[in-house]
Amino acid sequence: LAAPPHRSLQSDGVNPDLASERLTASFSVEKLTARLDGGAEHTRMRRAIVEAIESDPAFSRENQYFQSQNERYEAAVRRAVHLQKKMREMGWTENGPEIKYIYRWLSGDIAFLLHRVFMRSISVLGSDKQVAKWIPLATEHQIIGSYAQTELGHGTYLQGLETTAVFDIATQEFLLNTPKISAMKWWPGDMGRSATHTVVFAQLYVHGKCYGVHPFIVQIRSLQDHSPRPGVTVGDIGPKMNFEHTDNGYLMLQNVRVPRENMLSRFCEVQPDGTYVRWGSQKINYFTMTTVRISILSDEVILPLMKACTIAIRYSAVRRQSKLKPGEQEAKILDYQTQQQKLLPQLAAAYAFHFINIYLHELFDRGYQEIQGRNFDSLPELHAFSSGFKAMVTQYCTSGVEICLRACGGHGYSLLSGLPSLYTRVLASCIYEGENTVLFLQTARFLIKCFMAASAGQPIPPSVTYLSSAKPGKCPAKDKLDFLSPDVYLKAYEQMAIRSVTKLQHLIQSGAEKHEAWNQCTVQLVKAAQAHCHYITVKIFVETVEKLDNKAGIQKVMKHLCDLFALHGIFSNAGDFLYDGYLSGAQMDLVTASYLDLLAVIRMDAVPLVDAFDFTDKSLNSALGSYDGQVYQRLYEWAQKSPTNQQVSPAYGKYLKPLLQNRLSKL
Amino acid sequence: IAKGRGEEGRPGGTARRGLQREGVINDPDFQHEDLNFLSRSQRYEQAIRKSSLMVMKLREHGIADPDEIYWFKRTCLGPFPEPFGLHFSMFQKTLETQTTDAQKEKWLPLVRGVNIIGTYAQTEMGHGTHLRGLETTATYDPATQEFILNSPTVTSIKWWPGGLGKTSNHAIVLAQLYTQGQCKGLHAFIVPIRQLGTHEPLPGITVGDIGPKFGYDEMDNGYLKMDNFRIPRENMLMKYAQVEPDGTYVKPLNDKLTYGTMVFIRSIIVGDSARSLSRACTIAIRYSAVRHQSELKAGEPEPQILDYQTQQYKLFPLLATAYAFHFVGAYIKDTYRRISGDIIEGDLSELPELHALTAGLKAFTSWTANAGIEECRMACGGHGYSRCSGLPDIYVTFTPSCTYEGENTVMMLQTARFLVKSYTQVSSGQRVTGMVSYLNDLSRQRIQPQHVAARPVTVRINDPISLVEAYKARAARLVEAAAKNLQAELNHRKSKEDAWNRTSVDLVRASEAHCHYVIVKLFTAKLSEISNAAVRAVMTELCLLYALYGISKNTGDFLQAGILTDTQVNQVNQHVKELLAIIRPNAVALVDSFDFHDVHLGSVLGRYDGNVYENMFEWAKKSPLNKTEVHESFHKHLKPMQAKL
């Protein structure tokens, strides 16, 4: 497999400080890239798609950092429309293998992502008849859809939604209303300006009885002139930290009527006489919600961390500051231990999460097979996994991106570094698809239940059997090298996770979930869930490394990263590991020593390890992180393109001149 | 309850300032559209308008006292940066302190009257905190008695100075001085950059704006490139070092004096940390009292999210931290004032410790506040992500303080250098004084083989004074460990610099522990000064929460050093939870005491009246995307797309 042109070692103009980093790689970058893509053929396909998109000027990201919210939105709509054309030209389809690479590249710049959620929700929640009616219209973009669940007053807690849908037998319609201000739909993407239709989640009332939250298809804008339909108040919710290309919207409904057939009725239906019928199992629907949490991880969460690491590590190899030895050239900041301690654990985490993500997808694919066969046994475990890992990975990656941003000093603060937009984007993931604290508590609930079941001798899912294997003991490590043994650190993580759960013994004995008692323990419950997820992540990383081919140096460098990820976790949470003496204070010093040694080892491969992520310069869109390392030149060129330098600011003539001259004349 | 104290630390000034504040806030001249809806250029223009107006008002009211100016500026401009900021701070201050009498006479009237607008151009594209690496040159030409200024490389282009891009017509430029063929190091020069009257860049000067940033939209951070640009010899600031007409260089007498300004600026950042975190806490805590969600008990109404333990655990330790930092900020400011007096008298003895302490505290407080602001934003869920919450703005405005005026990690290492030096002194039998005097105890321990950490500290977890001792023991242990590791590296025949680098993670930890101890100590000391019993009671709760939460987040240090047992760690965690419940009823009152006006808070979520949802709707309606009922992109893109199919 030949290296692609964008990262050839021969290419002229690569900053020597970056070129030298690549000469000493201990492994084959190209082979690792192929491993990350899941095979060389996937790498080839991905590169071909990226090339097709990047060579099309309609998708250019140039000047993106200079655009206003209005301009970003309009460009996103323009690109979304252009993409339809492009897909036909290229022969790409919505269900094809290319689609994930297309959206991976475009997702921060393109409208109608919620349109896809709209279609998916109709496919999953709609009857065959509804699917037949709406999906062709949506596929052809005759209508543009959104997905209106969250309200001003309620987010993760769905039962609290306040929008109402009252069935009117006389006209066979539902009457939708926003009874108060907090019931206004708030945040749905594509809804503020673009959507013609949306799926509205509302409390269903029939004959005065409430049947809970149900989905309804509601037309919100005219298909002729795009004006809001009667009774509909709709608009954009205003500027946010990011997602400026998306018209997140508000929606108020006043006596808006939709036909009975617009309630999505795969699982339940209101019959013409008002009888409410429920059939089938909604568990499959529940499963869909759960998979969404996992599906965002790769592109929306782990990818930004990989990009941030790429930018920060390349920049740290180019930036020289201060001298390590008198008389020598200034040192690369990547050679400072404190800089390594900031960046390299983030790099290790990016790899750890890449592997846990693969594991979760396999788990969910298996789960899906079982559910298809009407076996719902694995559902609670899958739910607990998706909640806990969504929360842990989003939280960790968000903080990781911010560390990368701040590790780039002043230049990281410039939008041109690309880091602020990566950060503001990834941090939204801590909130959407379920607020993280709430999700951790769901995982904790599962752990407590399993532990209780295990204590009562009942069978528990394989991922948590370790909870019943608690044996008091001490860590056997005697030397710092002992901590490079996965058995040693895995055991320490396992003990720590068990302890975090069993510490909640009193809660468990009290029968659990007595509401007040539960609320009194939530801080510890969150910790227990985190400990569990952290342990599983280390475990999967270890297992992945064991399975890796020991060719081309890949297994060795991945083992280093795995050790670093594990030891950094112990170093950063020392108290949890020291508590009850599983690790002694002296052993903690050995952990620290081993951890610091690893930084120096991985430092040698740091640049090749981010090169392996294989981001093109255009997808990074960073003046600091480009492959050639020509940081300062690019920063200067890009800054000159800023509109502030292109236009004459009216401020001088209007305010400064009078201020300065007024006084001169008085002197 | 602690009204006025939190915000300004100056009881008595509150009422008058309140009146002044109302005056400015209601002044129609200072009104403008919500900044969130403006483009960057528009925000810059608004800032210039308000700054110009403010200068006029300062003249009108005859305000001249620096503290008064600072307060008035904050009132006029709110928490936002202003393009004139560096004119009043660094530009003016440098000209006041580093010029000869003749230079003062020439420049100061122009500066004070804002006849010229100046900035301070130090940072370059390639160098920030490491000043010696700056590359701009100023070469003396005795033939014309001029300095020739040059930016010899791309990396030497001045980059970041506020107000440089579009606003200023002068800059103090830091450059490597060359005279008689020798480099004499960094010196300051006053350089005209734009034509008076037309504001066009002067020949030889390339100047502009560095483009969009995370925040600071109001500020025209700029770049400056100089090509053989000549200035007269008199434009070098010559109070200390001088270049004589023939090119002879006269050395300065004392270079420690520059410490003073740095201490001052860093102490301001400690205060900023407190203020920014207080603002974020105010918003998050008020909103959490308004937001109802989910259920605690089946069948009951949805509780305020402030009643959830996890929410309290996120917010109340930050509230305690905000109060702690207020007291620390006030302490440093007072100490600086006191020591500045000594400096003028020629007594520099206390300066090194104060310099080391402010470096560390600047880093400690700005890191903590930075993370705390984000925690507050996250605690507001989705709505915290909207610009209407005001939290994104607080964050993006505050976060660069982790980098500017000294990058935080470098600051921590400066403090560590002082700590290691003090430790070495103690080891060689000398005594040290001030905040590091706990290191003296180490020498008494020396006779025993065990290290200091093994010394049992009887910690009473309900007693702040006892907790100060626990923090002290932790700091001593980590300073000792870092110093010993450094020595071990040196014993491996590593060069001094290598050894230092290989110990720097330990050194930063030691500095953090030292700063943490200082803050707990200062907070605890403050308690006895509070005369009102009710205020003292609630401050004691916050102080305990601050100290105990800090332990629970760093249990590893306390367990490893044997300062606390497992059982005590459990008690600490338990007590933290009890304190959350105790503080809960006072939470809103405690943020009300910060006394931020709604206009300065700039947050729909944090409004004093708590009418959050209605006002979010009102705010959103003004969004630029809502200017027309049907957006133009419908006609441009959507309609043609649908027609084609």
Side-chain angles (χ1 to χ4, degrees):
Chain A
L1 201 65
H6 71 265
R7 65 178 194 203
S8 151
L9 282 178
Q10 277 76 44
S11 61
D12 291 332
V14 174
N15 187 319
D17 280 339
L18 212 42
S20 65
E21 298 283 339
R22 292 175 174 132
L23 293 175
T24 54
S26 76
F27 64 96
S28 159
V29 172
E30 195 58 22
K31 290 224 164 69
L32 181 54
T33 300
R35 183 68 179 70
L36 292 175
D37 280 322
E41 67 282 13
H42 290 103
T43 304
R44 268 192 295 273
M45 183 200 288
R46 178 177 55 74
R47 283 178 180 159
I49 289 161
V50 168
E51 167 63 21
I53 291 174
E54 290 186 349
S55 60
D56 187 335
F59 294 122
S60 165
R61 285 198 168 120
E62 211 185 333
N63 296 329
Q64 176 186 292
Y65 299 125
F66 304 135
Q67 288 173 336
S68 70
Q69 191 195 357
N70 249 322
E71 290 164 337
R72 288 290 302 276
Y73 165 67
E74 195 196 314
V77 172
R78 180 172 49 71
R79 289 196 191 101
V81 172
H82 183 75
L83 179 63
Q84 300 310 313
K85 194 172 138 229
K86 186 86 185 175
M87 288 186 56
R88 280 194 300 275
E89 260 173 43
M90 302 295 296
W92 297 333
T93 61
E94 273 293 326
N95 302 318
E98 302 93 351
I99 201 77
K100 70 172 177 182
Y101 300 121
I102 297 168
Y103 280 99
R104 182 183 293 178
W105 205 97
L106 289 171
S107 73
D109 302 287
I110 197 162
F112 308 160
L113 291 185
L114 265 287
H115 180 67
R116 302 176 79 212
V117 177
F118 172 77
M119 289 174 68
R120 194 166 59 212
S121 62
I122 292 174
S123 307
V124 175
L125 303 173
S127 64
D128 294 345
K129 213 170 139 193
Q130 288 170 325
V131 171
K133 174 177 176 186
W134 295 103
I135 295 296
L137 287 171
T139 310
E140 297 289 292
H141 287 85
Q142 295 298 70
I143 60 173
I144 297 165
S146 176
Y147 181 87
Q149 179 177 294
T150 302
E151 294 172 359
L152 201 38
H154 288 88
T156 305
Y157 181 65
L158 292 184
Q159 288 134 280
L161 296 180
E162 297 172 293
T163 304
T164 58
V166 179
F167 186 58
D168 178 352
I169 297 188
T171 61
Q172 294 286 302
E173 287 170 321
F174 293 104
L175 199 58
L176 281 107
N177 267 299
T178 304
K180 56 210 268 208
I181 194 118
S182 55
M184 205 183 323
K185 293 293 173 188
W186 201 270
W187 282 109
D190 291 337
M191 193 172 79
R193 303 276 77 185
S194 303
T196 59
H197 289 68
T198 186
V199 173
V200 171
F201 284 79
Q203 302 284 357
L204 168 67
Y205 284 87
V206 184
H207 295 315
K209 188 179 167 199
C210 181
Y211 288 89
V213 176
H214 288 73
F216 303 84
I217 297 179
V218 181
Q219 184 179 349
I220 56 172
R221 286 192 172 88
S222 151
L223 292 176
Q224 268 68 51
D225 63 5
H226 215 60
S227 62
R229 301 277 294 156
V232 170
T233 307
V234 62
D236 173 81
I237 63 161
K240 299 140 296 189
M241 283 192 98
N242 197 331
F243 290 84
E244 295 212 301
H245 64 287
T246 303
D247 52 326
N248 296 87
Y250 58 75
L251 175 70
M252 191 155 55
L253 302 169
Q254 281 154 316
N255 292 320
V256 172
R257 290 176 170 268
V258 300
R260 190 179 64 89
E261 294 76 20
N262 277 27
M263 181 173 126
L264 292 176
S265 52
R266 169 154 303 228
F267 301 107
C268 46
E269 191 181 57
V270 175
Q271 293 179 337
D273 65 348
T275 311
Y276 178 84
V277 201
R278 177 182 284 281
W279 50 69
S281 169
Q282 249 186 319
K283 280 185 176 164
I284 184 93
N285 172 29
Y286 186 56
F287 178 74
T288 310
M289 213 177 67
T290 298
T291 50
V292 171
R293 291 189 181 139
I294 296 303
S295 71
I296 60 163
L297 291 183
S298 159
D299 291 1
E300 295 299 320
V301 186
I302 303 168
L303 210 72
L305 180 60
M306 288 174 167
K307 284 186 178 176
C309 286
T310 305
I311 296 168
I313 288 177
R314 284 181 182 165
Y315 175 65
S316 298
V318 167
R319 177 88 171 172
R320 288 178 176 274
Q321 203 79 175
S322 190
K323 289 177 184 176
L324 269 174
K325 290 189 186 100
E328 281 191 1
Q329 201 184 1
E330 289 184 75
K332 293 177 176 181
I333 59 174
L334 193 54
D335 286 324
Y336 289 95
Q337 192 186 49
T338 44
Q339 186 76 353
Q340 293 165 9
Q341 194 216 0
K342 287 173 193 171
L343 297 179
L344 302 183
Q346 312 317 319
L347 178 63
Y351 276 94
F353 294 146
H354 176 82
F355 295 130
I356 195 83
N357 181 52
I358 292 173
Y359 166 78
L360 290 170
H361 277 275
E362 286 168 1
L363 199 71
F364 272 75
D365 287 346
R366 267 204 308 280
Y368 187 68
Q369 302 299 329
E370 286 174 25
I371 286 166
Q372 293 282 311
R374 298 266 141 200
N375 174 359
F376 296 103
D377 291 353
S378 60
L379 209 50
E381 187 188 10
L382 292 178
H383 180 67
F385 261 100
S386 74
S387 304
F389 280 100
K390 185 269 176 183
M392 183 187 76
V393 176
T394 54
Q395 195 165 303
Y396 208 117
C397 289
T398 297
S399 112
V401 173
E402 207 222 2
I403 289 170
C404 291
L405 188 158
R406 282 193 282 126
C408 291
H411 294 326
Y413 188 72
S414 168
L415 285 195
L416 308 181
S417 74
L419 291 164
S421 29
L422 283 173
Y423 176 60
T424 49
R425 180 116 182 260
V426 70
L427 65 81
S429 69
C430 293
I431 299 150
Y432 62 62
E433 300 303 338
E435 197 276 330
N436 280 353
T437 304
V438 177
L439 295 186
F440 274 133
L441 289 173
Q442 289 177 4
T443 306
R445 204 178 283 274
F446 169 77
L447 292 174
I448 297 289
K449 272 189 187 154
C450 290
F451 184 73
M452 280 165 66
S455 308
Q458 291 158 9
I460 53 173
S463 64
V464 284
T465 44
Y466 76 91
L467 287 176
S468 54
S469 71
K471 281 180 233 72
K474 302 272 178 216
C475 173
K478 291 188 179 62
D479 183 88
K480 69 176 177 178
L481 293 178
D482 292 342
F483 281 103
L484 300 181
S485 157
D487 290 345
V488 170
Y489 56 69
L490 258 184
K491 197 77 200 158
Y493 270 94
E494 189 185 282
Q495 290 292 329
M496 198 269 289
I498 293 171
R499 246 177 359 248
S500 309
V501 175
T502 52
K503 256 168 103 174
L504 294 155
Q505 195 83 32
H506 60 285
L507 177 71
I508 295 156
Q509 279 160 355
S510 77
E513 308 194 24
K514 293 267 186 291
H515 292 287
E516 203 45 44
W518 181 263
N519 190 35
Q520 287 314 311
C521 294
T522 43
V523 168
Q524 281 161 280
L525 285 161
V526 167
K527 262 194 113 161
Q530 286 168 331
H532 168 74
C533 294
H534 206 157
Y535 163 59
I536 301 289
T537 308
V538 174
K539 188 163 166 253
I540 297 303
F541 204 162
V542 167
E543 288 171 8
T544 306
V545 171
E546 279 167 3
K547 278 182 270 174
L548 280 176
D549 195 353
N550 190 21
K551 261 183 252 158
I554 287 172
Q555 193 186 37
K556 194 169 163 211
V557 72
M558 286 298 118
K559 163 80 167 57
H560 290 323
L561 283 176
C562 178
D563 294 346
L564 182 72
F565 181 76
L567 297 189
H568 176 255
I570 299 177
F571 173 79
S572 314
N573 301 286
D576 298 333
F577 289 88
L578 286 167
Y579 181 87
D580 92 357
Y582 183 76
L583 285 186
S584 69
Q587 283 172 326
M588 194 53 74
D589 285 338
L590 299 178
V591 167
T592 307
S594 227
Y595 161 63
L596 294 176
D597 287 348
L598 276 169
L599 293 178
V601 172
I602 293 166
R603 186 266 164 260
M604 303 313 294
D605 279 322
V607 169
L609 281 167
V610 296
D611 284 352
F613 294 142
D614 201 29
F615 294 113
T616 58
D617 286 354
K618 282 181 179 161
S619 89
L620 287 176
N621 205 14
S622 162
L624 302 189
S626 55
Y627 187 82
D628 67 8
Q630 298 297 354
V631 168
Y632 298 114
Q633 198 58 44
R634 195 164 278 112
L635 204 50
Y636 187 39
E637 277 167 19
W638 288 15
Q640 284 167 305
K641 287 194 270 178
S642 168
T644 41
N645 293 324
Q646 305 289 317
Q647 303 148 1
V648 181
S649 168
Y652 174 71
K654 271 159 97 176
Y655 307 112
L656 291 179
K657 204 170 172 185
L659 181 75
L660 295 166
Q661 293 185 344
N662 199 10
R663 288 292 280 193
L664 281 175
S665 61
K666 274 187 199 158
L667 277 172
Chain B
I1 36 171
K3 208 163 174 78
R5 197 184 301 272
E7 166 70 351
E8 279 310 301
R10 234 204 218 187
T14 313
R16 184 177 49 79
R17 285 180 171 175
L19 281 175
Q20 202 181 52
R21 178 167 79 175
E22 288 305 316
V24 172
I25 284 168
N26 297 324
D27 186 337
D29 287 347
F30 282 109
Q31 308 302 315
H32 54 81
E33 202 185 331
D34 190 314
L35 296 174
N36 289 297
F37 303 133
L38 301 182
S39 72
R40 217 193 127 216
S41 288
Q42 289 167 323
R43 282 178 83 146
Y44 167 69
E45 194 185 325
Q46 282 300 333
I48 287 285
R49 187 180 69 82
K50 280 173 40 176
S51 291
S52 308
L53 203 61
M54 185 200 68
V55 172
M56 311 275 197
K57 303 250 169 188
L58 280 174
R59 288 172 185 165
E60 203 178 293
H61 298 300
I63 297 172
D65 173 57
D67 265 8
E68 286 285 300
I69 291 179
Y70 185 66
W71 166 256
F72 190 75
K73 271 170 64 173
R74 280 231 314 274
T75 312
C76 293
L77 309 174
F80 293 103
E82 57 148 348
F84 287 10
L86 267 76
H87 175 85
F88 290 111
S89 57
M90 289 305 287
F91 187 64
Q92 183 170 335
K93 207 156 207 126
T94 310
L95 288 173
E96 280 167 357
T97 53
Q98 297 190 33
T99 45
T100 62
D101 290 345
Q103 288 176 320
K104 281 194 179 73
E105 206 172 307
K106 174 174 178 189
W107 293 105
L108 284 180
L110 295 170
V111 174
R112 289 186 179 138
V114 201
N115 303 112
I116 61 173
I117 302 171
T119 181
Y120 186 81
Q122 175 177 295
T123 302
E124 294 173 0
M125 209 190 282
H127 288 89
T129 306
H130 180 62
L131 291 185
R132 273 168 298 164
L134 295 179
E135 298 172 280
T136 303
T137 58
T139 310
Y140 186 63
D141 176 0
T144 60
Q145 306 221 354
E146 288 171 321
F147 291 103
I148 309 164
L149 284 141
N150 268 302
S151 309
T153 58
V154 177
T155 44
S156 74
I157 296 173
K158 293 292 176 190
W159 201 267
W160 282 110
L164 173 65
K166 297 278 135 183
T167 310
S168 300
N169 51 29
H170 282 71
I172 287 174
V173 169
L174 268 84
Q176 304 285 357
L177 167 66
Y178 284 86
T179 181
Q180 297 175 334
Q182 278 187 314
C183 180
K184 300 291 179 187
L186 276 188
H187 289 76
F189 303 85
I190 180 160
V191 180
I193 55 175
R194 287 179 186 271
Q195 187 72 50
L196 297 182
T198 68
H199 214 57
E200 290 293 328
L202 293 166
I205 296 286
T206 309
V207 64
D209 173 82
I210 64 162
K213 295 143 299 188
F214 207 173
Y216 272 66
D217 281 357
E218 289 72 16
M219 184 68 100
D220 54 324
N221 296 84
Y223 59 75
L224 172 67
K225 187 167 172 293
M226 293 169 293
D227 297 295
N228 291 317
F229 187 76
R230 287 173 172 266
I231 54 170
R233 187 182 67 90
E234 294 77 19
N235 279 25
M236 175 175 150
L237 305 190
M238 295 217 239
K239 178 163 184 184
Y240 301 113
Q242 287 167 10
V243 172
E244 292 178 347
D246 66 348
T248 308
Y249 179 75
V250 185
K251 267 210 289 210
L253 289 173
N254 193 330
D255 53 1
K256 260 191 192 160
L257 286 162
T258 49
Y259 277 2
T261 321
M262 283 197 276
V263 169
F264 174 72
I265 289 169
R266 288 171 193 164
S267 76
I268 287 184
I269 294 176
V270 175
D272 279 349
S273 303
R275 236 176 335 271
S276 300
L277 186 56
S278 305
R279 279 155 48 85
C281 285
T282 304
I283 296 167
I285 288 178
R286 284 184 184 160
Y287 175 65
S288 299
V290 168
R291 177 94 171 168
H292 289 257
Q293 201 80 175
S294 191
E295 52 185 23
L296 272 171
K297 288 189 192 107
E300 288 198 0
E302 296 182 77
Q304 294 162 295
I305 58 173
L306 199 53
D307 287 330
Y308 288 95
Q309 190 188 57
T310 44
Q311 189 75 353
Q312 295 168 1
Y313 189 69
K314 287 174 194 172
L315 297 178
F316 295 169
L318 294 173
L319 177 64
T321 306
Y323 272 95
F325 290 0
H326 274 296
F327 298 135
V328 175
Y331 166 84
I332 300 192
K333 216 165 139 188
D334 290 347
T335 313
Y336 172 72
R337 280 219 182 89
R338 181 170 59 74
I339 295 185
S340 328
D342 299 344
I343 295 173
I344 294 166
E345 304 287 309
D347 175 7
L348 302 177
S349 59
E350 281 190 77
L351 204 50
E353 186 189 353
L354 185 63
H355 180 248
L357 186 63
T358 42
L361 287 174
K362 179 262 177 189
F364 189 97
T365 57
S366 60
W367 266 338
T368 309
N370 185 69
I373 293 164
E374 281 298 76
E375 187 82 21
C376 287
R377 191 185 50 68
M378 293 281 198
C380 293
H383 296 331
Y385 192 74
S386 166
R387 290 261 168 192
C388 80
S389 73
L391 290 162
D393 249 328
I394 296 174
Y395 173 72
V396 298
T397 307
F398 181 75
T399 191
S401 59
C402 295
T403 308
Y404 62 55
E405 304 304 341
E407 197 278 324
N408 277 357
T409 302
V410 179
M411 293 299 97
M412 279 298 186
L413 288 170
Q414 284 186 8
T415 303
R417 209 171 279 280
F418 179 78
L419 293 173
V420 169
K421 207 171 132 193
S422 303
Y423 177 83
T424 313
Q425 282 174 342
V426 169
S427 306
S428 63
Q430 288 169 269
R431 286 189 68 77
V432 290
T433 55
M435 290 289 187
V436 287
S437 54
Y438 61 83
L439 293 174
N440 292 326
D441 299 346
L442 294 174
S443 60
R444 259 178 269 139
Q445 299 276 316
R446 200 147 309 276
I447 346 152
Q448 296 154 13
Q450 64 203 137
H451 68 62
V452 60
R455 177 172 54 123
V457 182
T458 329
V459 180
R460 296 178 307 279
I461 61 161
N462 287 317
D463 176 7
I465 294 169
S466 176
L467 295 176
V468 173
E469 291 303 308
Y471 274 92
K472 185 195 271 187
R474 168 186 178 231
R477 191 253 164 195
L478 288 174
V479 171
E480 182 174 58
K484 283 188 171 163
N485 288 347
L486 180 64
Q487 192 53 50
E489 290 288 344
L490 283 170
N491 293 347
H492 281 92
R493 289 187 299 276
K494 294 258 160 50
S495 78
K496 231 168 51 190
E497 292 78 8
D498 260 346
W500 182 263
N501 186 29
R502 292 179 62 91
T503 322
S504 52
V505 167
D506 294 328
L507 290 163
V508 170
R509 281 178 75 191
S511 289
E512 282 178 334
H514 174 72
C515 293
H516 211 156
Y517 152 69
V518 169
I519 294 168
V520 173
K521 182 183 156 85
L522 291 175
F523 198 166
T524 304
K526 196 80 201 170
L527 299 176
S528 59
E529 292 173 27
I530 302 171
S531 52
N532 180 305
V535 174
R536 191 170 58 241
V538 74
M539 283 301 128
T540 305
E541 287 153 16
L542 285 178
C543 179
L544 271 173
L545 179 63
Y546 180 75
L548 292 173
Y549 179 80
I551 292 175
S552 80
K553 282 281 146 184
N554 298 282
T555 46
D557 293 346
F558 290 91
L559 283 173
Q560 197 178 359
I563 301 165
L564 294 175
T565 63
D566 282 0
T567 317
Q568 282 175 310
V569 166
N570 284 344
Q571 287 167 352
V572 166
N573 289 332
Q574 186 56 33
H575 202 44
V576 165
K577 292 199 291 187
E578 285 162 16
L579 283 165
L580 297 178
I582 291 170
I583 290 165
R584 166 67 184 90
N586 280 328
V588 171
L590 282 165
V591 295
D592 284 353
S593 302
F594 292 136
D595 196 26
F596 291 110
H597 193 285
D598 276 354
V599 169
H600 285 171
L601 213 47
S603 166
V604 179
L605 301 191
R607 295 168 60 94
Y608 186 81
D609 67 9
N611 294 323
V612 170
Y613 296 131
E614 321 52 335
N615 284 290
M616 279 181 77
F617 186 36
E618 288 310 308
W619 182 87
K621 283 194 264 186
K622 294 180 215 145
S623 165
L625 254 67
N626 292 333
K627 285 265 153 69
T628 54
E629 186 61 82
V630 175
H631 196 270
E632 58 178 344
S633 59
F634 169 72
H635 303 288
K636 273 163 100 173
H637 307 295
L638 296 181
K639 212 172 168 182
M641 170 179 75
Q642 288 166 343
K644 247 184 252 162
L645 289 160

